[in-house]
Amino acid sequence: TVIKDALEGLNADWIDRVDVVRSGTGGYSSMFGYAWSISFTGDLVSGNVEQLTYDVCTPLVSASADAEVAIVTSDDVPAVGTDTEIQTLEIAATAYLAQGQFALQLEWGGVEAVTSCIEWNATSAYRSCLGRPHECGLCACGEVWRGN
């Protein structure tokens, strides 16, 4: 819940609810990183939200020295009905990551808010269970985990 808590804790009166789902394993199959799907779903901020930006607090270190951060926006359209914008934060490299931190920045109505530093492998409230239901305790998108 680190990213969710950081975004909701910005003391910005225009952020009331953020949903975050982390996917990836941190291994080869997910480019040695993770992806966080960030949805602004509250009543105060919905629809088209300014693109998240980031600052590097502690440089990302990987054995390949090519770790990078990317933020992509999907559903980048004006709000209609219950449309929710989703932004995806991705950290990836071609070899294992050892360390790194970032801070997220948001701007709304000319007001900027910045989170505290977040570890490169921060958890979220939920993990996607698609394809790996045995690895999840809490699942997103209505998925049901039937493990032991």
Side-chain angles (χ1 to χ4, degrees):
T1 65
V2 174
I3 292 176
K4 175 182 174 61
D5 292 346
L7 290 169
E8 288 182 345
L10 285 173
N11 293 327
D13 59 3
W14 39 269
I15 298 176
D16 57 342
R17 183 170 170 199
V18 178
D19 292 323
V20 179
V21 176
R22 184 179 89 173
S23 59
T25 63
Y28 178 78
S29 64
S30 56
M31 294 293 296
F32 300 101
Y34 297 96
W36 294 266
S37 176
I38 302 167
S39 302
F40 297 89
T41 58
D43 294 332
L44 299 177
V45 58
S46 62
N48 197 2
V49 177
E50 290 292 323
Q51 173 100 14
L52 286 165
T53 58
Y54 69 92
D55 278 333
V56 174
C57 299
T58 304
L60 296 169
V61 176
S62 71
S64 55
D66 64 351
E68 57 184 42
V69 177
I71 299 175
V72 178
T73 300
S74 48
D75 201 16
D76 190 14
V77 296
V80 177
T82 59
D83 284 351
T84 299
E85 180 175 284
I86 299 171
Q87 298 190 32
T88 303
L89 165 69
E90 297 178 354
I91 294 181
T94 58
Y96 283 103
L97 283 150
Q99 69 180 22
Q101 294 179 325
F102 59 91
L104 295 174
Q105 299 174 341
L106 290 161
E107 185 176 330
W108 184 264
V111 177
E112 185 177 279
V114 180
T115 68
S116 57
C117 293
I118 300 168
E119 289 293 329
W120 73 272
N121 59 351
T123 60
S124 68
Y126 301 97
R127 292 189 293 167
S128 175
C129 295
L130 297 174
R132 294 190 168 106
H134 59 282
E135 293 180 8
C136 294
L138 295 171
C139 299
C141 304
E143 301 168 40
V144 178
W145 181 49
R146 301 189 189 284
N148 294 330

